[in-house]
């Protein structure tokens, strides 16, 4: 429950709002002034320091899947407002504004794709839709994607970016953690691979459900990944947190992710993994 | 029970109770008969109590769910089960006292019982971390559930936590992973699983013991994705608005039953579970036994399929954006 938090590093949204006048970007990591087109050709990674700029779901799909291979599923699904939730603003208005702003129906895009020719079920979260929070639609789309993977015997790949559960859907948002995990239980028993890719930021109920359940967990360099948000922890323990706390590298050191992977080689690594886990060509040893 | 801490909405009841006390003292001192006055006051108190507890605001329900005299997991273990034998540790790091677990018998039948455990005083609360588990607590719970699976015994869980502990060590040792793994593995277990929310159902830290065939709730317990204080601080920008947040979150048993999350509400005595531990435990035990009996009639395969279907159906969504214009 911390999608509201200010991330340690400022967000950029250059992938979605490509202002023609915006020719240069300043690197948040090292301060270098970067030519935007160069940056974009470099998968939005600073060529000098390796800082990973935030990218949206569309770019992630392009980065991971073979060109033109992605076909979206369940794009029609929309959030209801089961609690008729109103805080300072009605939830319905928040939903409408988020859809207008992000251009998508909710905080995850799902579909079929191929990665170096291997058919997969791919889901990518979008932080720009109410902080990538998981409500019923996110849970349902991931559950349906999991069932599609089961039925079509495809590996599942999920790219996470989320502040956690969407509290405007109350208990239903909490139950999406159980729903997505239950589908992963079935995938696990069916012997199908699930590769979880954690990007900046992944916290709360998403980390505490599907994002941590990969056969292999891959994390983007520098990404904030955790259960509780840093501010909540600081308030609880009344002391300042170490600088690297809850970074991808911290999680690697503490054994919570398998690898920290540079975005520029992510697709290659995923393809290698898929071949290790999934592709049987008849030759070699068998288990 | 004059020293019992009381809640805001209990004030009138406490006043009446004090009047009764005074009247009794007066009667004793002066040797006069006050039985009719006494009966009147007691009747008044009883109807006030019923009235109050029937009309609790959501934020009052939260207060009752957190009442310092409310029975905790071990209080039910003592009253509902026999032959309790607590087992400790996650076999990896340490024993987390915020979760207790072990073997016991319910109506003579062996079951694994696991629950969050709060402390009754400051010393015990420090030991039990106010019922807020670390990853090792969830891993202990999973170890015990797997033991139950091995010996084909049902699992009963009691949910009563403000939430999983948000601390340095908890993050280092993988709080998120520990919770996630419990969610997935509970979905896979072949034995019957029943959870009972007995007090505070606080978010993911509660759910990590709550992926079960049946979700039962004591009448004045609550279950929520976030505390009303946390929700108010974020959405209303001040924890003072917790009353509004509690209402908006739909965290009471009647709401959760209506939303299809809670399978059955177990009534509490007038005045709440803290007013009568034994009676609460008795009805909890009866309800638990009934559900376990029903679940035992199903095959393990059918039980699991039904469990998956239950969780896969949870939520509310529209199949298409066109439907969003329809009247609600």
């Amino acid at each position: 429950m911390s999608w509201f938090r200010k991330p340690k590093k400022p967000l950029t949204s250059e992938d979605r709002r490509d202002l023609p006048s915006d020719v240069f970007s300043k690197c948040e990591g090292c301060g270098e002034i970067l030519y935007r087109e160069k940056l974009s050709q470099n998968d939005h990674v600073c060529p000098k320091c390796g800082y990973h700029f935030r990218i949206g779901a569309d770019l992630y799909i392009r980065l991971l899947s073979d060109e033109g291979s992605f076909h979206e599923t369940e794009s029609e699904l929309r959030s209801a407002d089961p609690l008729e939730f109103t805080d300072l603003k009605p939830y319905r208005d928040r939903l409408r504004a988020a859809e207008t702003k992000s251009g998508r129906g909710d905080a995850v895009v799902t579909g079929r794709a191929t990665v170096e020719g291997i058919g997969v079920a791919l889901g990518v979260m979008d932080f720009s839709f109410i902080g990538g929070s998981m409500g019923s639609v996110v849970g349902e789309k991931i559950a349906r994607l999991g069932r599609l993977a089961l039925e079509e015997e495809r590996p599942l790949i999920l790219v996470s970016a989320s502040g956690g559960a969407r509290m405007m859907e109350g208990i239903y948002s909490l139950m999406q953690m159980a729903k997505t995990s239950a589908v992963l239980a079935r995938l696990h028993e069916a012997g199908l691979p699930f590769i979880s890719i954690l990007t900046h930021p992944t916290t709360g109920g998403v980390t505490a459900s599907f994002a941590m359940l990969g056969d292999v967990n891959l994390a983007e360099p520098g990404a904030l990944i955790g259960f509780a948000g840093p501010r909540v922890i600081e308030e609880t323990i009344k002391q300042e947190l170490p600088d690297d706390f809850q970074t991808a590298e911290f999680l690697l050191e503490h054994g919570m992710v398998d690898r920290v992977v540079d975005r520029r080689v992510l697709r290659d690594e995923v393809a290698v993994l898929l071949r290790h886990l999934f592709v049987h060509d008849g030759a070699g040893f068998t288990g | 029970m004059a020293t019992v801490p009381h809640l805001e909405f209990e004030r009138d009841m406490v006043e009446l109770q004090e009047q009764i006390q005074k009247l009794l003292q007066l009667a004793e001192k002066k040797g006069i008969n006050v039985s009719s006055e006494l009966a009147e006051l007691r009747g008044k108190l009883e109807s006030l109590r019923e009235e109050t507890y029937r009309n609790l605001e959501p934020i009052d329900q939260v207060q009752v769910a957190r009442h310092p005299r409310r029975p905790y997991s071990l209080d039910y273990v003592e009253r509902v089960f026999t032959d309790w034998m607590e087992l400790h540790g996650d076999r990896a790091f340490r024993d987390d006292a915020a979760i207790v677990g072990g073997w016991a018998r319910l109506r003579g039948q062996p079951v694994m019982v696991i629950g969050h455990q709060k402390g009754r005083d400051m010393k015990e609360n420090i030991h039990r971390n106010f019922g807020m588990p670390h990853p090792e607590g969830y891993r202990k719970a999973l170890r015990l559930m797997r033991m139950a699976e091995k010996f084909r015994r049902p699992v009963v869980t009691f949910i009563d936590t403000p939430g999983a502990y948000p601390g340095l060590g908890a993050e280092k040792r993988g709080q998120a992973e520990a919770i996630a793994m419990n969610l997935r593995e509970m979905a896979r277990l072949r034995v019957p699983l029943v959870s009972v929310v007995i007090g505070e159902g606080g978010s993911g830290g509660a759910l990590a013991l709550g992926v079960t065939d049946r979700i039962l709730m004591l009448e004045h317990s609550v279950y929520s994705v976030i505390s009303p204080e946390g929700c108010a601080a974020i959405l209303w920008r001040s924890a003072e608005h917790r009353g509004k947040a509690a209402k908006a979150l739909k965290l009471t048993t009647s709401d959760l039953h209506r939303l299809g999350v809670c399978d059955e509400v177990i009534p509490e005595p007038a005045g709440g579970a803290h007013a009568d531990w034994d009676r609460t435990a008795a009805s909890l035990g009866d309800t638990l036994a009934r559900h376990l009996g029903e679940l035992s009639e199903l095959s393990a395969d059918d039980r699991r399929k039904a469990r998956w279907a239950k969780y896969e159906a949870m939520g509310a969504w529209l199949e298409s954006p066109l439907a969003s214009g329809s009247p609600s």
Side-chain angles (χ1 to χ4, degrees), chain B residues 64-111:
Chain B
V64 178
R66 294 173 183 164
H67 199 290
R69 287 289 302 162
R70 198 169 168 84
Y72 299 147
S73 291
L74 288 175
D75 301 313
Y76 291 115
V77 164
E78 199 184 309
R79 286 165 179 77
V80 175
F81 303 89
T82 58
D83 301 280
W84 167 244
M85 181 181 281
E86 188 176 353
L87 303 173
H88 295 274
D90 69 339
R91 298 292 188 272
F93 188 69
R94 64 160 195 153
D95 185 43
D96 185 348
I99 289 183
V100 293
W103 291 111
R105 283 176 191 271
L106 176 68
R107 310 289 191 259
Q109 303 296 315
V111 293

Side-chain angles (χ1 to χ4, degrees), chain A residues 226-281:
Chain A
F227 172 64
R231 201 177 57 189
V232 173
I233 299 170
E234 271 177 349
E235 278 169 15
T236 308
I237 65 173
K238 314 271 186 237
Q239 56 184 8
E240 254 182 65
L241 299 171
D243 272 348
D244 70 334
F245 188 62
Q246 293 183 317
T247 59
E249 294 73 16
F250 177 91
L251 267 83
L252 180 72
E253 189 191 330
H254 290 282
M256 293 302 144
V257 297
D258 290 279
R259 297 174 70 79
V260 175
V261 184
D262 190 303
R263 194 186 282 159
R264 290 166 292 186
V265 296
L266 182 62
R267 178 196 155 87
D268 296 341
E269 287 224 355
V270 168
V272 169
L273 261 177
L274 287 176
R275 283 192 288 268
H276 279 310
L277 301 175
F278 186 64
V279 179
H280 296 272
D281 55 10

